[in-house]
Amino acid sequence: MKRRRVITLSVIGFILLGAILMSPGRPFSDVPYSTVVTDCEGELLGAKTAADGQWRFPPSENVPERFEKALLQFEDKHFYHHPGVNPVSMVRALVGNIRAGKVTSGGSTITMQVIRLSRGRERTVKQKIIESVQAVLLEIRYSKKKILSLYASHAPFGGNVVGLEAASWRYFGRPSDELSWAEAATLAVLPNAPSEIHPGKNRDLLLQKRNSLLRELHEKGYFSDETLSLSLEEPLPDAPLPLPSYASHIVAKAPEGVVTRTGIRINLQKQIEQIVGRYSDDFATRGINDLAAIVIDNTTGETIAYCGNSSPGRIRQGMQVDIADSPRSTGSILKPFLFSAAMQEGIILPYTLIKDVPVNMDGFSPQNFDQQFYGAVPASEALSRSLNVPAVHLLRAYGVPKFHSLLKDCGLSTLRKDPSWYGLSLILGGGEGKLTEITRAYSGMVRSYIIDEKFPLSDKVSLWYTFEALKDVNRPDELDWRYIPSLRKAAWKTGTSYGFRDAWAVGMTPEYTVGVWAGNAGGQGVPGLTGASVSGPVMFAILNALPLGEWFREPSEGIFAEICPLSGHLRSPDCPEGKEIRLPSAAMESEPCPYHNGGSFALPPAMEWFYKKYHPEYEVPKASPRRMEFIYPESGSELTIPRQMDGSEGKIVFELAHRDPSATVWWHLDEEYVGETRFVHNLSLTPSPGRHTLVAVDASGHTAAVSFVVKTGGRF
Ligand SMILES: [Zn+2]
């Protein structure tokens, strides 16, 4: 009795010890997986091989029904009824093996195969015993469903294709839950001997095995006679297919070894890649080699299409650069943020006249695109025509540090230098931005407007006037209309950087924001590379591909107040007329019309000098205390003597506006007479370095004075 008990306990102890020693651990815990990226509904956008070079998708819990039925029919009919090992088939296999004199076949359950796949050992009798024990232990730990999914995710399918999902894409070009019965049967048969039977070799044997499995499945009543005959006709797969490759720049940056679901909509993505590919082929012939486009859904804030550079089918040097995520000179693309912010704070009203006269910007004089000055331009027109000089005047009024910090708050991460480093050039492309962040910032304005998303620009009336100003087609002469079949109604802005290096276009509708950048990743400029002529048509082509929606609804916020129709300022008691419009609440703190005095409208002489050329209705006031004013430079400017091509010093052209065209003006530099002018009051001088005062006097004794500093060394 006692002896028997000892033996029993020893056996139990031995089994337990063996069980502990042979415990399978967590199967596949150190296996690397492919990087997989899907669209918003789980559709495959693209993938990368795992670290070991295998196409092995991260495990999925779901095993599609057809594959499961085919697999179990072929490999393990009693899977749901055995405890990990199937004694009947093991004995059968053992007898078969003894007769053959070597290990030839099977008898392995799916569970045992999971163990073998995870251990990767030789197929010997000893290993088989270990596998059997571990299989039983695995069954204790995991559900049948989990074991089946472990098998499906790790079974070999020939070559470097591992797991059902990778096999499904590589052999049939679709996900495993869309496989036909014939396809599922093919994949059920393959892992049994992936190196011997492969879609590439022994096709007859593979076909024979597939078809006999199909007949068995049909006999079980899984599908009709008709499906059987059609299935038997289906061809075997040929050479492995390439995996889908959309939004390749997102795939390239996706976290390794896992499935990442993005907000991309695959059908839109395909369309956008086609559009971008078409344009980029054309642009390439003009020396414009890189093109990027982004679409954001304003309702959700998701990026729904992302084309980091041209189309993935094109192989060219630099194509890999995700140009949408690279910092580039912003050109004029940031102007709407300044316009909206200045209105939100009551610095301007929608139609306030902004100065458009020569301005000195740290020794540099910015020009409008057409090299003209207009004297004074309503703010919204200055925005829709993208005038540079009024933008500089407006930024000076708003403040560079404040605008710099506003842009950062709007999500621009690349303005890392101190505001003083950028100075007023910040509004003309002196800073850099990424297409991703700029498009998102534009979308931020829309989201703030349509769904009250928190954003630094939140005043709805200001945003409304911004959208309205940007709706007016700007600079239509620059657009190549041949490219644009029809224009979708959109608020849009273009930008061109100095030297024609960067061409931007961003368009907004209530539903979508579309951002486009064109240029060369290496930074080479191309004559004619402008936002309006190059990126604008691409942006509209993309907008046209999106569903048509409504325009922005007029806001109900703000106040109604009278403005002066001539100056755009709040109406003053001197303004003869008023026009009531909706204004931001901050408007009441803004300056009333400064140009109407005693009923007559008079701009300061410098503004007037340019303004009257474009406004024949403007009457130069007869009696006005200010007869003349310096146009250039402004008082307090820092000037640099330009250097000529031959290295000698050039001259600075001083300009003056006089209300009486025929007046003679005598000029004095530091109280020394330097010349006289009549009709056109321009005088070229080369003052020495240091501080100077220039005074002009006319015959009636009126004077104008300007102080400035001349610095040494200069540019051409
Ligand atoms: Zn007025």
Side-chain angles (χ1 to χ4, degrees), residues 23-53:
S23 169
R26 240 183 91 235
F28 310 110
S29 56
D30 53 356
V31 166
Y33 294 104
S34 289
T35 302
V36 175
V37 180
T38 77
D39 86 337
C40 60
E41 283 173 348
E43 294 267 333
L44 185 63
L45 287 172
K48 291 190 284 185
T49 53
D52 60 356

PDB file of all heavy atoms in Angstrom, residues 23-53:
ATOM      1  N   SER A  23       6.537  23.932 -19.683  1.00  0.00           N
ATOM      2  CA  SER A  23       5.510  24.953 -19.879  1.00  0.00           C
ATOM      3  C   SER A  23       5.861  25.845 -21.069  1.00  0.00           C
ATOM      4  O   SER A  23       7.014  26.267 -21.211  1.00  0.00           O
ATOM      5  CB  SER A  23       5.384  25.799 -18.604  1.00  0.00           C
ATOM      6  OG  SER A  23       4.596  26.920 -18.884  1.00  0.00           O
ATOM      7  N   PRO A  24       4.896  26.064 -21.947  1.00  0.00           N
ATOM      8  CA  PRO A  24       5.220  26.753 -23.200  1.00  0.00           C
ATOM      9  C   PRO A  24       5.522  28.255 -23.056  1.00  0.00           C
ATOM     10  O   PRO A  24       5.988  28.862 -23.995  1.00  0.00           O
ATOM     11  CB  PRO A  24       3.960  26.550 -24.044  1.00  0.00           C
ATOM     12  CG  PRO A  24       2.852  26.318 -23.071  1.00  0.00           C
ATOM     13  CD  PRO A  24       3.477  25.691 -21.865  1.00  0.00           C
ATOM     14  N   GLY A  25       5.291  28.832 -21.881  1.00  0.00           N
ATOM     15  CA  GLY A  25       5.482  30.288 -21.767  1.00  0.00           C
ATOM     16  C   GLY A  25       4.488  31.006 -22.664  1.00  0.00           C
ATOM     17  O   GLY A  25       3.539  30.394 -23.159  1.00  0.00           O
ATOM     18  N   ARG A  26       4.717  32.257 -22.888  1.00  0.00           N
ATOM     19  CA  ARG A  26       3.812  32.967 -23.806  1.00  0.00           C
ATOM     20  C   ARG A  26       4.309  32.768 -25.223  1.00  0.00           C
ATOM     21  O   ARG A  26       5.398  33.225 -25.556  1.00  0.00           O
ATOM     22  CB  ARG A  26       3.765  34.470 -23.470  1.00  0.00           C
ATOM     23  CG  ARG A  26       2.340  34.927 -23.118  1.00  0.00           C
ATOM     24  CD  ARG A  26       2.278  36.411 -22.863  1.00  0.00           C
ATOM     25  NE  ARG A  26       1.992  37.161 -24.054  1.00  0.00           N
ATOM     26  CZ  ARG A  26       2.750  38.147 -24.507  1.00  0.00           C
ATOM     27  NH1 ARG A  26       3.849  38.471 -23.885  1.00  0.00           N
ATOM     28  NH2 ARG A  26       2.404  38.800 -25.596  1.00  0.00           N
ATOM     29  N   PRO A  27       3.534  32.046 -26.049  1.00  0.00           N
ATOM     30  CA  PRO A  27       4.057  31.762 -27.384  1.00  0.00           C
ATOM     31  C   PRO A  27       4.255  33.042 -28.208  1.00  0.00           C
ATOM     32  O   PRO A  27       3.487  33.996 -28.069  1.00  0.00           O
ATOM     33  CB  PRO A  27       2.995  30.860 -28.005  1.00  0.00           C
ATOM     34  CG  PRO A  27       1.775  30.994 -27.174  1.00  0.00           C
ATOM     35  CD  PRO A  27       2.191  31.509 -25.828  1.00  0.00           C
ATOM     36  N   PHE A  28       5.285  33.063 -29.028  1.00  0.00           N
ATOM     37  CA  PHE A  28       5.592  34.154 -29.970  1.00  0.00           C
ATOM     38  C   PHE A  28       5.900  35.491 -29.284  1.00  0.00           C
ATOM     39  O   PHE A  28       5.774  36.538 -29.884  1.00  0.00           O
ATOM     40  CB  PHE A  28       4.440  34.364 -30.959  1.00  0.00           C
ATOM     41  CG  PHE A  28       3.977  33.103 -31.624  1.00  0.00           C
ATOM     42  CD1 PHE A  28       2.742  32.542 -31.325  1.00  0.00           C
ATOM     43  CD2 PHE A  28       4.797  32.462 -32.555  1.00  0.00           C
ATOM     44  CE1 PHE A  28       2.325  31.367 -31.947  1.00  0.00           C
ATOM     45  CE2 PHE A  28       4.385  31.292 -33.175  1.00  0.00           C
ATOM     46  CZ  PHE A  28       3.141  30.737 -32.876  1.00  0.00           C
ATOM     47  N   SER A  29       6.310  35.427 -27.981  1.00  0.00           N
ATOM     48  CA  SER A  29       6.498  36.690 -27.271  1.00  0.00           C
ATOM     49  C   SER A  29       7.653  37.519 -27.844  1.00  0.00           C
ATOM     50  O   SER A  29       7.673  38.725 -27.712  1.00  0.00           O
ATOM     51  CB  SER A  29       6.724  36.439 -25.782  1.00  0.00           C
ATOM     52  OG  SER A  29       7.814  35.567 -25.634  1.00  0.00           O
ATOM     53  N   ASP A  30       8.610  36.852 -28.507  1.00  0.00           N
ATOM     54  CA  ASP A  30       9.741  37.628 -29.019  1.00  0.00           C
ATOM     55  C   ASP A  30       9.729  37.748 -30.544  1.00  0.00           C
ATOM     56  O   ASP A  30      10.740  38.058 -31.153  1.00  0.00           O
ATOM     57  CB  ASP A  30      11.062  37.019 -28.535  1.00  0.00           C
ATOM     58  CG  ASP A  30      11.133  35.533 -28.860  1.00  0.00           C
ATOM     59  OD1 ASP A  30      10.131  34.989 -29.392  1.00  0.00           O
ATOM     60  OD2 ASP A  30      12.180  34.918 -28.591  1.00  0.00           O
ATOM     61  N   VAL A  31       8.579  37.495 -31.141  1.00  0.00           N
ATOM     62  CA  VAL A  31       8.493  37.555 -32.605  1.00  0.00           C
ATOM     63  C   VAL A  31       8.251  39.001 -33.060  1.00  0.00           C
ATOM     64  O   VAL A  31       7.381  39.677 -32.529  1.00  0.00           O
ATOM     65  CB  VAL A  31       7.339  36.647 -33.099  1.00  0.00           C
ATOM     66  CG1 VAL A  31       7.004  36.934 -34.550  1.00  0.00           C
ATOM     67  CG2 VAL A  31       7.715  35.184 -32.924  1.00  0.00           C
ATOM     68  N   PRO A  32       9.026  39.514 -34.025  1.00  0.00           N
ATOM     69  CA  PRO A  32       8.760  40.871 -34.529  1.00  0.00           C
ATOM     70  C   PRO A  32       7.628  40.866 -35.563  1.00  0.00           C
ATOM     71  O   PRO A  32       7.451  39.886 -36.287  1.00  0.00           O
ATOM     72  CB  PRO A  32      10.084  41.254 -35.192  1.00  0.00           C
ATOM     73  CG  PRO A  32      10.677  39.961 -35.629  1.00  0.00           C
ATOM     74  CD  PRO A  32      10.189  38.899 -34.679  1.00  0.00           C
ATOM     75  N   TYR A  33       6.879  41.954 -35.611  1.00  0.00           N
ATOM     76  CA  TYR A  33       5.759  42.034 -36.548  1.00  0.00           C
ATOM     77  C   TYR A  33       5.938  43.169 -37.543  1.00  0.00           C
ATOM     78  O   TYR A  33       6.728  44.102 -37.328  1.00  0.00           O
ATOM     79  CB  TYR A  33       4.446  42.230 -35.784  1.00  0.00           C
ATOM     80  CG  TYR A  33       4.093  41.038 -34.935  1.00  0.00           C
ATOM     81  CD1 TYR A  33       4.271  41.066 -33.563  1.00  0.00           C
ATOM     82  CD2 TYR A  33       3.618  39.874 -35.530  1.00  0.00           C
ATOM     83  CE1 TYR A  33       3.979  39.960 -32.778  1.00  0.00           C
ATOM     84  CE2 TYR A  33       3.328  38.754 -34.756  1.00  0.00           C
ATOM     85  CZ  TYR A  33       3.505  38.802 -33.381  1.00  0.00           C
ATOM     86  OH  TYR A  33       3.228  37.704 -32.633  1.00  0.00           O
ATOM     87  N   SER A  34       5.171  43.077 -38.619  1.00  0.00           N
ATOM     88  CA  SER A  34       5.150  44.139 -39.631  1.00  0.00           C
ATOM     89  C   SER A  34       4.535  45.403 -39.050  1.00  0.00           C
ATOM     90  O   SER A  34       3.736  45.351 -38.115  1.00  0.00           O
ATOM     91  CB  SER A  34       4.307  43.708 -40.836  1.00  0.00           C
ATOM     92  OG  SER A  34       4.957  42.717 -41.582  1.00  0.00           O
ATOM     93  N   THR A  35       4.920  46.551 -39.626  1.00  0.00           N
ATOM     94  CA  THR A  35       4.263  47.814 -39.314  1.00  0.00           C
ATOM     95  C   THR A  35       3.078  47.932 -40.266  1.00  0.00           C
ATOM     96  O   THR A  35       3.247  47.825 -41.477  1.00  0.00           O
ATOM     97  CB  THR A  35       5.246  48.968 -39.571  1.00  0.00           C
ATOM     98  OG1 THR A  35       6.389  48.749 -38.760  1.00  0.00           O
ATOM     99  CG2 THR A  35       4.612  50.309 -39.264  1.00  0.00           C
ATOM    100  N   VAL A  36       1.892  48.093 -39.721  1.00  0.00           N
ATOM    101  CA  VAL A  36       0.693  48.115 -40.556  1.00  0.00           C
ATOM    102  C   VAL A  36      -0.079  49.404 -40.298  1.00  0.00           C
ATOM    103  O   VAL A  36      -0.261  49.806 -39.145  1.00  0.00           O
ATOM    104  CB  VAL A  36      -0.205  46.888 -40.258  1.00  0.00           C
ATOM    105  CG1 VAL A  36      -1.516  46.968 -41.033  1.00  0.00           C
ATOM    106  CG2 VAL A  36       0.539  45.596 -40.583  1.00  0.00           C
ATOM    107  N   VAL A  37      -0.477  50.077 -41.375  1.00  0.00           N
ATOM    108  CA  VAL A  37      -1.231  51.329 -41.229  1.00  0.00           C
ATOM    109  C   VAL A  37      -2.528  51.218 -42.014  1.00  0.00           C
ATOM    110  O   VAL A  37      -2.526  50.811 -43.178  1.00  0.00           O
ATOM    111  CB  VAL A  37      -0.407  52.535 -41.734  1.00  0.00           C
ATOM    112  CG1 VAL A  37      -1.197  53.824 -41.573  1.00  0.00           C
ATOM    113  CG2 VAL A  37       0.919  52.616 -40.988  1.00  0.00           C
ATOM    114  N   THR A  38      -3.625  51.542 -41.351  1.00  0.00           N
ATOM    115  CA  THR A  38      -4.925  51.448 -42.025  1.00  0.00           C
ATOM    116  C   THR A  38      -5.594  52.816 -42.090  1.00  0.00           C
ATOM    117  O   THR A  38      -5.174  53.757 -41.425  1.00  0.00           O
ATOM    118  CB  THR A  38      -5.886  50.489 -41.289  1.00  0.00           C
ATOM    119  OG1 THR A  38      -6.406  51.167 -40.132  1.00  0.00           O
ATOM    120  CG2 THR A  38      -5.187  49.220 -40.862  1.00  0.00           C
ATOM    121  N   ASP A  39      -6.631  52.908 -42.896  1.00  0.00           N
ATOM    122  CA  ASP A  39      -7.397  54.146 -42.978  1.00  0.00           C
ATOM    123  C   ASP A  39      -8.402  54.187 -41.822  1.00  0.00           C
ATOM    124  O   ASP A  39      -8.340  53.350 -40.903  1.00  0.00           O
ATOM    125  CB  ASP A  39      -8.062  54.289 -44.359  1.00  0.00           C
ATOM    126  CG  ASP A  39      -9.407  53.595 -44.465  1.00  0.00           C
ATOM    127  OD1 ASP A  39      -9.668  52.658 -43.672  1.00  0.00           O
ATOM    128  OD2 ASP A  39     -10.216  53.984 -45.328  1.00  0.00           O
ATOM    129  N   CYS A  40      -9.346  55.122 -41.887  1.00  0.00           N
ATOM    130  CA  CYS A  40     -10.227  55.326 -40.738  1.00  0.00           C
ATOM    131  C   CYS A  40     -11.184  54.156 -40.521  1.00  0.00           C
ATOM    132  O   CYS A  40     -11.759  54.007 -39.456  1.00  0.00           O
ATOM    133  CB  CYS A  40     -10.996  56.626 -40.896  1.00  0.00           C
ATOM    134  SG  CYS A  40     -12.030  56.665 -42.369  1.00  0.00           S
ATOM    135  N   GLU A  41     -11.358  53.315 -41.561  1.00  0.00           N
ATOM    136  CA  GLU A  41     -12.264  52.183 -41.393  1.00  0.00           C
ATOM    137  C   GLU A  41     -11.532  50.847 -41.371  1.00  0.00           C
ATOM    138  O   GLU A  41     -12.144  49.799 -41.531  1.00  0.00           O
ATOM    139  CB  GLU A  41     -13.319  52.199 -42.502  1.00  0.00           C
ATOM    140  CG  GLU A  41     -14.373  53.251 -42.211  1.00  0.00           C
ATOM    141  CD  GLU A  41     -15.355  53.434 -43.334  1.00  0.00           C
ATOM    142  OE1 GLU A  41     -15.106  52.921 -44.441  1.00  0.00           O
ATOM    143  OE2 GLU A  41     -16.364  54.101 -43.094  1.00  0.00           O
ATOM    144  N   GLY A  42     -10.216  50.893 -41.185  1.00  0.00           N
ATOM    145  CA  GLY A  42      -9.456  49.658 -41.085  1.00  0.00           C
ATOM    146  C   GLY A  42      -8.933  49.141 -42.412  1.00  0.00           C
ATOM    147  O   GLY A  42      -8.323  48.084 -42.470  1.00  0.00           O
ATOM    148  N   GLU A  43      -9.174  49.869 -43.509  1.00  0.00           N
ATOM    149  CA  GLU A  43      -8.642  49.443 -44.818  1.00  0.00           C
ATOM    150  C   GLU A  43      -7.137  49.656 -44.838  1.00  0.00           C
ATOM    151  O   GLU A  43      -6.643  50.687 -44.379  1.00  0.00           O
ATOM    152  CB  GLU A  43      -9.273  50.289 -45.927  1.00  0.00           C
ATOM    153  CG  GLU A  43     -10.758  50.076 -46.098  1.00  0.00           C
ATOM    154  CD  GLU A  43     -11.064  49.008 -47.138  1.00  0.00           C
ATOM    155  OE1 GLU A  43     -10.236  48.811 -48.038  1.00  0.00           O
ATOM    156  OE2 GLU A  43     -12.123  48.382 -47.020  1.00  0.00           O
ATOM    157  N   LEU A  44      -6.429  48.693 -45.423  1.00  0.00           N
ATOM    158  CA  LEU A  44      -4.968  48.760 -45.429  1.00  0.00           C
ATOM    159  C   LEU A  44      -4.452  49.882 -46.331  1.00  0.00           C
ATOM    160  O   LEU A  44      -4.767  49.943 -47.512  1.00  0.00           O
ATOM    161  CB  LEU A  44      -4.402  47.416 -45.907  1.00  0.00           C
ATOM    162  CG  LEU A  44      -2.890  47.263 -45.858  1.00  0.00           C
ATOM    163  CD1 LEU A  44      -2.370  47.345 -44.433  1.00  0.00           C
ATOM    164  CD2 LEU A  44      -2.468  45.946 -46.504  1.00  0.00           C
ATOM    165  N   LEU A  45      -3.652  50.784 -45.743  1.00  0.00           N
ATOM    166  CA  LEU A  45      -3.002  51.840 -46.543  1.00  0.00           C
ATOM    167  C   LEU A  45      -1.621  51.389 -46.986  1.00  0.00           C
ATOM    168  O   LEU A  45      -1.196  51.651 -48.094  1.00  0.00           O
ATOM    169  CB  LEU A  45      -2.860  53.119 -45.709  1.00  0.00           C
ATOM    170  CG  LEU A  45      -4.109  53.929 -45.418  1.00  0.00           C
ATOM    171  CD1 LEU A  45      -3.782  55.040 -44.431  1.00  0.00           C
ATOM    172  CD2 LEU A  45      -4.681  54.522 -46.694  1.00  0.00           C
ATOM    173  N   GLY A  46      -0.926  50.699 -46.083  1.00  0.00           N
ATOM    174  CA  GLY A  46       0.417  50.249 -46.408  1.00  0.00           C
ATOM    175  C   GLY A  46       1.018  49.507 -45.235  1.00  0.00           C
ATOM    176  O   GLY A  46       0.463  49.508 -44.138  1.00  0.00           O
ATOM    177  N   ALA A  47       2.140  48.835 -45.481  1.00  0.00           N
ATOM    178  CA  ALA A  47       2.796  48.062 -44.427  1.00  0.00           C
ATOM    179  C   ALA A  47       4.282  47.959 -44.717  1.00  0.00           C
ATOM    180  O   ALA A  47       4.721  48.216 -45.837  1.00  0.00           O
ATOM    181  CB  ALA A  47       2.176  46.668 -44.333  1.00  0.00           C
ATOM    182  N   LYS A  48       5.030  47.617 -43.693  1.00  0.00           N
ATOM    183  CA  LYS A  48       6.464  47.368 -43.844  1.00  0.00           C
ATOM    184  C   LYS A  48       6.769  45.982 -43.286  1.00  0.00           C
ATOM    185  O   LYS A  48       6.092  45.527 -42.358  1.00  0.00           O
ATOM    186  CB  LYS A  48       7.273  48.411 -43.050  1.00  0.00           C
ATOM    187  CG  LYS A  48       7.198  49.806 -43.638  1.00  0.00           C
ATOM    188  CD  LYS A  48       8.194  50.738 -42.959  1.00  0.00           C
ATOM    189  CE  LYS A  48       7.727  51.172 -41.591  1.00  0.00           C
ATOM    190  NZ  LYS A  48       8.611  52.169 -40.962  1.00  0.00           N
ATOM    191  N   THR A  49       7.805  45.295 -43.810  1.00  0.00           N
ATOM    192  CA  THR A  49       8.151  43.978 -43.281  1.00  0.00           C
ATOM    193  C   THR A  49       8.613  44.117 -41.829  1.00  0.00           C
ATOM    194  O   THR A  49       9.036  45.190 -41.405  1.00  0.00           O
ATOM    195  CB  THR A  49       9.298  43.315 -44.088  1.00  0.00           C
ATOM    196  OG1 THR A  49      10.384  44.229 -44.153  1.00  0.00           O
ATOM    197  CG2 THR A  49       8.850  42.950 -45.485  1.00  0.00           C
ATOM    198  N   ALA A  50       8.521  43.013 -41.096  1.00  0.00           N
ATOM    199  CA  ALA A  50       8.968  43.009 -39.705  1.00  0.00           C
ATOM    200  C   ALA A  50      10.487  43.122 -39.663  1.00  0.00           C
ATOM    201  O   ALA A  50      11.162  43.012 -40.692  1.00  0.00           O
ATOM    202  CB  ALA A  50       8.507  41.725 -39.028  1.00  0.00           C
ATOM    203  N   ALA A  51      11.021  43.319 -38.461  1.00  0.00           N
ATOM    204  CA  ALA A  51      12.472  43.508 -38.300  1.00  0.00           C
ATOM    205  C   ALA A  51      13.271  42.336 -38.864  1.00  0.00           C
ATOM    206  O   ALA A  51      14.417  42.501 -39.283  1.00  0.00           O
ATOM    207  CB  ALA A  51      12.797  43.707 -36.825  1.00  0.00           C
ATOM    208  N   ASP A  52      12.690  41.129 -38.915  1.00  0.00           N
ATOM    209  CA  ASP A  52      13.414  39.967 -39.446  1.00  0.00           C
ATOM    210  C   ASP A  52      13.157  39.757 -40.936  1.00  0.00           C
ATOM    211  O   ASP A  52      13.443  38.701 -41.482  1.00  0.00           O
ATOM    212  CB  ASP A  52      13.041  38.713 -38.649  1.00  0.00           C
ATOM    213  CG  ASP A  52      11.545  38.405 -38.710  1.00  0.00           C
ATOM    214  OD1 ASP A  52      10.791  39.213 -39.308  1.00  0.00           O
ATOM    215  OD2 ASP A  52      11.131  37.369 -38.172  1.00  0.00           O
ATOM    216  N   GLY A  53      12.574  40.775 -41.592  1.00  0.00           N
ATOM    217  CA  GLY A  53      12.383  40.696 -43.034  1.00  0.00           C
ATOM    218  C   GLY A  53      11.147  39.926 -43.469  1.00  0.00           C
ATOM    219  O   GLY A  53      10.915  39.729 -44.654  1.00  0.00           O
TER     220      GLY A  53
END
